[in-house]
Amino acid sequence: MANPNPEIKCTKIFINNEFVNAVSGKTFPTINPSTGKKICDVAEADKADVDLAVKAAKAAFDRKSAWRQMDASARGKLLIKLTELMERDLHYLASLESLDNGKPYASAVFDVHGSMNALRYYAGWADKISGETVPSDGPHLTYTRKEPVGVVGQIVPWNYPMLMLAWKWGPALAAGCTIVMKPAEQTPLTALYLCSLAKEAGFPAGVINMLPGYGPTAGNAISIHPDVRKVAFTGSVEVGKIIMAAAASTLKKVSLELGGKSPLVICEDVDVDEAAQIAYAGVFENMGQCCIAATRTFVQEGIYDAFVKKATELAKSRKVGNPFGQGVQHGPQIDETQFGKILGYIEKGKKEGASLEAGGIRVGAEGYFIEPTVFANVTDEMTIAKEEIFGPVQSIIKFKTLDEAIERANATTFGLAAGIVTKNLNNALTFSNAVEAGSVWVNTYLAVTNQAPFGGYKQSGIGREMGKEGIELYLETKTVCIKLPSKV
Ligand code: NAP
Ligand code: MG
């Protein structure tokens, strides 16, 4: 069951199936965002540790290694075994996540389930990755092989620490790659514990390595390392650009899942209460720290006022408090920096003329809690309508026609997700086809599923995770051509 004081079992760097101190001996604190106080110190990886981890991952990828000689089905079994251990420790993992990240306990439980499901999905892929025989010219047998890329670097953010890890471990391990990962400095604890479970499950030494530490040091060392053949990153657009530039020095493959400023268009033919509920869930989920958050709520003029009223009621009814508290739906923001940044955006919203309908202030005197915030009368030029806030702030924008809403929805450099709420099939299909976004939801929102690709148009990313396309990120294709005595 929920435990607000879980024992902290893993705080060191994980290399070659062992927990070790940093070469430098340095540590850094990880903070409880509900109190602002330190939970514990964690070993701080830097370049020297990354070098050791890559060396281990490279050895584990050697063609004679246990990992490379393992049947593909056995890789799938190891992933399943890992999920069984996660299930055994579900409440411990969820408690650790709530403590380190601040998300409500029920959401952390949901995340553990989501992570197990993502790993199970890719466990099934392990022995279903295949090339094809090709009807090539000439008397040749030509076929393709799908081979693992090799050592991969994976850099993940703090908003869904376990889920983002599972989205990256799953396809990489199913494909047969070996991993050097950096968790976000704010949330290293569940990633480290999952390494101990991976070892217990039986993954050979060096297949998974975990380097808690900072982006510009450990993260950069991964991005530039000559033996890392691919880097997969989830986080901000700004850091995505830095990683792509760093990866260019060794021409690594790069996949990027970046931010968004996603539009949700509410047409006036809908039930206002239902639409407001979809929009509310779409923006306040995970304290608004969600890359697909529906932060631009476009509402058609005929229902605008009624919608604002309902959205305000919903935001005000949201239960904010300690993540371990009974019935709490909304915990703190991740850290002081994000907390300050979000309050800064709220001030800008007020200053630039949006009308504050709910929230807008801190909750309590400790920790990083912000009241769910609703702005009405937001216009496209306002900062809160343009920049990714990554906090609990809903901007409600008025529109007249669907065509106009589509133009305005697309007038951004982002393109991660979008949604429309309407009873009109033509509206739904016109919008779904015209909007520039990697995921589009009709009459729902946040409906991410393991089986379908996920990723961004424009500056919201490169490549698609999840589904079949998610596996492709971790594969090379080799064409083999063998001379035959004759065509038949
Ligand atoms: P971030 O800086 O992009 O962090 C994501 C990851 O990248 C972290 O592990 C981070 O390390 C690492 N990193 C930072 N600089 C790096 C570098 N030079 N080389 C390699 N790795 C590097 O995100 P953030 O600062 O935590 O959050 C800032 C903004 O990012 C948010 O306001 C939000 O807009 C966006 N964000 C988006 C997502 C998403 O899912 N799309 C998730 C989180 C944040 P550190 O631990 O040192 O930061
Ligand atoms: Mg950061």
Side-chain angles (χ1 to χ4, degrees):
M1 283 301 111
N3 176 5
N5 294 302
E7 184 194 344
I8 311 295
K9 299 174 187 166
C10 307
T11 61
K12 295 185 180 179
I13 296 167
F14 187 76
I15 298 176
N16 232 353
N17 271 359
E18 300 300 332
F19 285 100
V20 296
N21 289 318
V23 171
S24 68
K26 281 205 231 167
T27 60
F28 67 100
T30 186
I31 306 292
N32 175 353
S34 302
T35 61
K37 299 202 175 86
K38 180 167 94 172
I39 301 168
C40 63
D41 288 309
V42 173
E44 183 188 329
D46 202 335
K47 184 180 179 306
D49 310 287
V50 169
D51 287 346
L52 291 174
V54 174
K55 199 171 160 205
K58 195 178 173 188
F61 195 75
D62 182 89
R63 75 185 177 91
K64 301 217 167 125
S65 71
W67 182 240
R68 294 300 297 286
Q69 293 300 320
M70 190 180 281
D71 287 338
S73 61
R75 293 202 302 271
K77 280 186 197 148
L78 281 178
L79 278 165
I80 292 293
K81 178 73 189 164
L82 172 61
T83 65
E84 287 166 0
L85 298 175
M86 289 167 73
E87 188 117 45
R88 179 194 72 192
D89 295 346
L90 192 150
H91 292 290
Y92 175 72
L93 277 165
S95 298
L96 202 57
E97 193 79 315
S98 280
L99 179 72
D100 204 16
N101 166 284
K103 65 178 69 199
Y105 183 73
S107 306
V109 169
F110 188 83
D111 281 10
V112 183
H113 282 291
S115 308
M116 291 190 297
N117 287 340
L119 293 170
R120 287 185 189 118
Y121 171 76
Y122 279 114
W125 266 110
D127 61 357
K128 292 163 198 74
I129 300 166
S130 57
E132 52 187 11
T133 44
V134 179
S136 55
D137 293 343
H140 297 128
L141 166 64
T142 303
Y143 62 92
T144 57
R145 279 168 56 84
K146 292 286 184 182
E147 298 183 353
V149 163
V151 178
V152 298
Q154 302 182 323
I155 300 172
V156 289
W158 42 260
N159 53 344
Y160 291 92
M162 279 184 283
L163 206 58
M164 293 299 99
L165 174 150
W167 280 29
K168 291 192 167 42
W169 277 17
L173 295 170
C177 294
T178 59
I179 293 172
V180 175
M181 178 177 269
K182 192 193 90 63
E185 118 238 350
Q186 295 92 337
T187 53
L189 297 181
T190 46
L192 291 172
Y193 187 68
L194 285 168
C195 289
S196 77
L197 294 188
K199 178 176 177 175
E200 188 181 344
F203 281 94
V207 172
I208 295 170
N209 304 277
M210 189 63 67
L211 296 140
Y214 294 99
T217 50
N220 182 62
I222 291 172
S223 314
I224 61 173
H225 200 294
D227 290 331
V228 172
R229 294 184 185 163
K230 177 210 159 58
V231 60
F233 170 73
T234 300
S236 61
V237 171
E238 182 196 356
V239 174
K241 289 176 183 171
I242 295 173
I243 286 178
M244 195 162 170
S249 62
T250 51
L251 282 181
K252 284 182 196 12
K253 293 168 197 317
V254 177
S255 54
L256 305 170
E257 294 289 355
L258 308 176
K261 190 73 192 174
S262 299
L264 173 60
V265 171
I266 316 281
C267 298
E268 58 197 11
D269 61 18
V270 300
D271 179 284
V272 172
D273 288 2
E274 255 174 55
Q277 183 67 44
I278 292 171
Y280 159 84
V283 72
F284 293 117
E285 165 67 25
N286 208 36
M287 291 69 75
Q289 302 167 141
C290 192
C291 53
I292 52 178
T295 49
R296 289 186 294 151
T297 313
F298 286 96
V299 179
Q300 204 159 12
E301 56 184 359
I303 56 163
Y304 188 82
D305 293 340
F307 183 94
V308 170
K309 186 163 174 278
K310 186 66 194 174
T312 304
E313 274 169 35
L314 286 170
K316 285 186 171 165
S317 72
R318 195 164 174 82
K319 189 166 176 192
V320 183
N322 188 295
F324 290 97
Q326 201 61 37
V328 165
Q329 298 166 297
H330 200 93
Q333 307 309 130
I334 189 69
D335 63 12
E336 199 168 351
T337 308
Q338 287 295 115
F339 175 76
K341 197 174 144 193
I342 295 161
L343 290 176
Y345 274 118
I346 291 171
E347 283 315 305
K348 267 202 179 134
K350 290 198 270 183
K351 212 179 270 169
E352 293 177 12
S355 62
L356 181 66
E357 305 288 332
I361 51 167
R362 172 179 206 169
V363 181
E366 66 163 14
Y368 311 119
F369 297 87
I370 296 177
E371 273 187 9
T373 298
V374 176
F375 278 109
N377 300 319
V378 178
T379 56
D380 297 354
E381 316 71 51
M382 291 180 187
T383 310
I384 55 169
K386 288 198 294 207
E387 295 182 16
E388 187 177 36
I389 300 174
F390 231 63
V393 182
Q394 183 174 35
S395 294
I396 311 182
I397 310 170
K398 196 182 283 182
F399 77 93
K400 283 193 169 72
T401 67
L402 184 64
D403 261 356
E404 168 212 328
I406 290 169
E407 293 301 314
R408 292 166 67 191
N410 283 340
T412 167
T413 53
F414 294 112
L416 192 59
I420 184 165
V421 185
T422 180
K423 292 201 171 111
N424 180 315
L425 185 61
N426 287 340
N427 281 352
L429 291 175
T430 302
F431 179 81
S432 312
N433 286 350
V435 74
E436 296 167 343
S439 296
V440 185
W441 292 292
V442 178
N443 293 335
T444 182
Y445 202 81
L446 302 176
V448 175
T449 173
N450 294 322
Q451 300 80 6
F454 177 90
Y457 277 40
K458 299 192 274 188
Q459 292 191 29
S460 286
I462 295 180
R464 294 290 179 271
E465 291 191 312
M466 306 314 291
K468 189 176 179 183
E469 289 187 43
I471 276 275
E472 294 290 336
L473 296 179
Y474 294 94
L475 295 171
E476 290 280 12
T477 302
K478 178 181 282 174
T479 299
V480 182
C481 179
I482 303 169
K483 177 122 196 276
L484 299 175
S486 78
K487 191 85 182 162
V488 283

